[in-house]
Amino acid sequence: MNTTFTISNVSEPIQNTTIVSEKNRVLLIEDNPGDARLVEILLEESDLVNCEITHHVTLTEGKQELEKGEEFAAVLLDLTLPDSRGFDTLKSLITRFPYLNVIVMTGLSDKALGLEAVKFGAQDFLVKGAFDSDLLAKTLRYSIQRNGVLKSLEETQRLAHIGNWEYSPDIQLFSASDETYRIFGLTPRQDVFSAEDILLENNPFHLFFDIHRETISTGEELTKDIKIQHQDGSYHFVNIRCNISLEGGSWTSSGVIQDITDRKKSEQEIIKSRERYQHIFTKSKDAIYICTLEGKMIDFNEATTSLFGISHEELLGKKDMHTLFYPKEKAKDLLLQLKSQRSVKDFPIEVTHKVNEVRQCLLTANLLVTEDFIGYNGILRDITELKQAEKLRKARDFAEQSAKMKEQFIASVSHEMRTPMNAILGMSNILYQMQLDEEQHNLVSSIKQSSEILLGIVNDILEVSTIQNGKVVFENKGFNIRELLDNMMSVMQYKAQEKDLYFQVILDDNIPKILNGDKLRLSQILYNLVGNAIKFTDSGYVKIYVKKMNGILDSVQLKFIVEDTGIGIPEEKINAVFETFTRIRTKERLFEGTGLGLSIAKNLVEQQGGRIGATSILGEGSKFFFDLLIEVGTESDTLVPEHEEIDYDDNNTFKLLLVEDHKMNQLVARKTLERKFPNAELTIADNGQIAVEILTERTFDLVLMDIQMPIMDGYEATVHIRKNMPQLKDLPVLAMTAHAHIAKDKQYLEYGMDDFVLKPFKPEDLFYKIKKYITQGRKVF
């Protein structure tokens, strides 16, 4: 039976109605029709208005009604029903719906049962036949008001994340507020646990059973923080407070539970922040301190004591730590800025160390003003090493700039020297080939030899510049060691013969014939050592020894010794002879030269991993020696000849454009070319712009292009030809320049030039390259 009716006032008839949300709903569970009707009549007679009653005759039907989720202000429950009798009726209902306001109705003989029901969790009880309309209305009114209070309490608990519970194991009673369920991540009024449920260890509320036992054991109020796990697996922190009471021999625990996760996280963050600050404070390399404006230290880290060089106790005992700042005027400026601006950043100041060492620092500080303190916190950063490093960097930059300027200066000077040298040597070569009498021949020969000496000096200066700037690149090509020594003998024997010296090369038989290395650099080292030996030896001999010291895998370690019977070197000056611009002087004569040859030899040996040295006896002679580890090669590794034979008739006709602004060099080039190629048609342009204009009107087989010229230089002219004159894409252009570094950096290739001839040019080099490009055409890179 399911009857729902509304009582609006005492005169309105009873009628079936639908549920109205603003009315006070009462659930009546009563199987006796008379008793049910009596309740209805009494409510009609009472002054309780807007009361809606839903009636069911069994406990099962009543539970089904409650399972719908509708709210009831009170439940009038008969303890004796067709499907449940006695105290179990109430227990069954409250266990499933612990939040209900239940009013138990009992018979006259069961009044004691009603009292027990209140203890178990019922709000009140009524004895059938002993209550009238006023008592019924009063009981229901109290229940309705209590329901409103409970709702407000639940809302308050929800906002504060505080729940409450009560547990009486003797009567199997457990109840908890909605917020208690929410704190555990459970759904209120859906996930409902009984006193039996919380006994299970895997139950989320099992901790209430543990709290109950712990509180009984101490007999005092218990408060503790506990870490719990939500149903979603996350962990939360809760604070639990529990009291215990004893009534009629039954222990009951009750308490509150609050979710303090946010507070715990904040506390942990504060702890972590404090630990981070403490770590920074104690481990920082910067001095961090707090002091009063008068200079009394309040707190500081270990770096502060290290910076000032005094102990913790000494620094605390200082009346004014500002006396450690230097100069004193700076400390006054610091305090003035702090007071006016409340902060300073990167304030430069010096700190006096205990051992009178001055440290340069940057100070960042902020004014601190509270009710009981006026001072500032400061961070002192020691920048002494940075300052020193900055000075070193500036010195290095200055040195690099100076070295670059020196290199540019040497290159410029060498260019200016090589340009007239080209004219002098060129004219000397032309005159040397003419029909001259003996006196003229000797004069021209002297000019030629002097010019070659001067050119050697210029080359030495350039070589030293190259070595000092780390621009030497060593080749690893096959060469015949015996041919190298034979060539050196052929070149140097004339100078030895001029002084009537015995000149000999002694080569060990066990030295491999073919070696892989830098033939040019080895020759350069030997020429410098042998040339020096001949220069400083007036009688006797100059001997060259080549000895095999060790064989290491596929390499061999050779020792070269140049021995002479010359003037010798004082013992204290032996090491100095390898320094740049060191020259040997005697009382009788000053020997010509730059003093660079031995320095160049030393650098070339050491940059290949070798060692060089000398021994000497003044007046008897010297021995210069060096060793090198050189790879063993085979015949197939040997180089092709520098200038392979080219089948070309010098009487052939070809057109050549010479672009040169120096009049004397124009004359040398013209005379040299006319003697070699009598049928060549030579055109001369004074600069790059004139050359471009000529090339637009006439065709040529080859262009010799000077680089440094006015109006338009050689690079600009070549770029213009390659970009704007496609009809000349196959025209060979050769740089003809006094810039000695052109062969090393190969910059000419980037501008579209094909090759170069270095001034002062050797006629055979110039002739070879002209024939090569006229017969083979342009070689595109």
Side-chain angles (χ1 to χ4, degrees), residues 598-717:
L598 291 178
S599 174
I600 292 171
K602 181 177 185 292
N603 278 281
L604 291 177
V605 169
E606 290 179 348
Q607 289 191 35
Q608 294 181 84
R611 295 175 299 173
I612 191 169
T615 60
S616 182
I617 299 176
L618 190 62
E620 295 185 14
S622 304
K623 282 185 182 180
F624 283 83
F625 51 85
F626 67 92
D627 63 81
L628 286 176
L629 185 65
I630 306 177
E631 182 182 330
V632 178
T634 61
E635 289 287 348
S636 60
D637 296 325
T638 56
L639 293 171
V640 261
E642 185 179 357
H643 296 327
E644 66 267 22
E645 291 294 328
I646 297 176
D647 185 15
Y648 185 81
D649 186 352
D650 295 346
N651 294 313
N652 286 346
T653 300
F654 63 90
K655 296 179 180 179
L656 190 150
L657 176 62
L658 173 64
V659 189
E660 170 66 68
D661 65 310
H662 197 280
K663 297 299 182 183
M664 192 62 68
N665 284 336
Q666 290 178 2
L667 177 61
V668 169
R670 183 167 59 80
K671 289 291 186 181
T672 303
L673 292 170
E674 285 175 353
R675 293 180 67 85
K676 179 65 175 176
F677 306 109
N679 294 323
E681 183 180 328
L682 178 64
T683 302
I684 298 177
D686 289 338
N687 57 58
Q689 183 173 320
I690 296 174
V692 169
E693 293 171 356
I694 292 173
L695 287 170
T696 58
E697 300 173 354
R698 298 164 57 186
T699 59
F700 292 87
D701 298 298
L702 182 71
V703 177
L704 294 176
M705 181 78 73
D706 187 24
I707 290 178
Q708 190 168 314
M709 296 182 292
I711 304 176
M712 179 185 284
D713 65 29
Y715 285 148
E716 293 172 330

Side-chain angles (χ1 to χ4, degrees), residues 202-391:
N202 62 349
N203 188 276
F205 283 2
H206 181 71
L207 67 90
F208 293 120
F209 172 72
D210 295 334
I211 291 293
H212 175 84
R213 290 193 305 174
E214 186 176 349
T215 309
I216 291 176
S217 67
T218 61
E220 298 178 355
E221 181 183 25
L222 181 143
T223 301
K224 64 190 310 184
D225 293 342
I226 298 176
K227 188 178 181 181
I228 64 171
Q229 187 174 17
H230 259 213
Q231 290 300 99
D232 61 5
S234 62
Y235 287 93
H236 288 241
F237 290 94
V238 296
N239 174 261
I240 292 182
R241 296 181 183 180
C242 180
N243 286 304
I244 197 80
S245 62
L246 180 64
E247 284 187 38
S250 176
W251 289 101
T252 299
S253 61
S254 60
V256 295
I257 180 171
Q258 182 179 15
D259 190 332
I260 58 170
T261 304
D262 292 339
R263 189 186 79 192
K264 277 287 185 182
K265 287 182 178 178
S266 298
E267 289 175 356
Q268 289 174 351
E269 284 300 319
I270 291 171
I271 293 171
K272 288 180 181 178
S273 178
R274 186 182 298 116
E275 289 175 349
R276 286 194 296 267
Y277 167 77
Q278 192 65 32
H279 180 78
I280 294 170
F281 185 77
T282 56
K283 300 298 182 182
S284 174
K285 294 181 180 179
D286 294 335
I288 304 174
Y289 67 92
I290 299 173
C291 74
T292 66
L293 292 178
E294 291 75 25
K296 180 65 177 174
M297 279 291 200
I298 306 300
D299 194 10
F300 48 88
N301 63 354
E302 186 177 341
T304 307
T305 60
S306 299
L307 180 63
F308 291 111
I310 58 179
S311 68
H312 188 275
E313 292 73 19
E314 286 179 293
L315 197 52
L316 274 179
K318 276 273 183 190
K319 291 183 179 180
D320 185 4
M321 60 83 64
H322 299 129
T323 58
L324 300 174
F325 288 156
Y326 179 83
K328 299 187 183 303
E329 294 75 17
K330 276 281 188 178
K332 294 179 181 178
D333 292 343
L334 167 66
L335 295 175
L336 286 174
Q337 287 193 35
L338 267 177
K339 291 175 182 178
S340 61
Q341 302 175 14
R342 302 187 69 85
S343 66
V344 295
K345 185 177 181 181
D346 293 339
F347 184 86
I349 199 164
E350 293 180 348
V351 167
T352 53
H353 196 271
K354 188 176 182 180
V355 294
N356 295 324
E357 178 187 359
V358 176
R359 309 294 295 178
Q360 294 176 308
C361 299
L362 291 177
L363 174 61
T364 296
N366 293 282
L367 193 66
L368 300 175
V369 180
T370 63
E371 292 181 0
D372 56 353
F373 178 78
I374 299 178
Y376 72 95
N377 64 339
I379 301 176
L380 272 169
R381 172 159 294 178
D382 188 345
I383 59 169
T384 307
E385 281 73 21
L386 289 176
K387 284 284 187 181
Q388 293 171 350
E390 180 67 15
K391 288 181 181 178

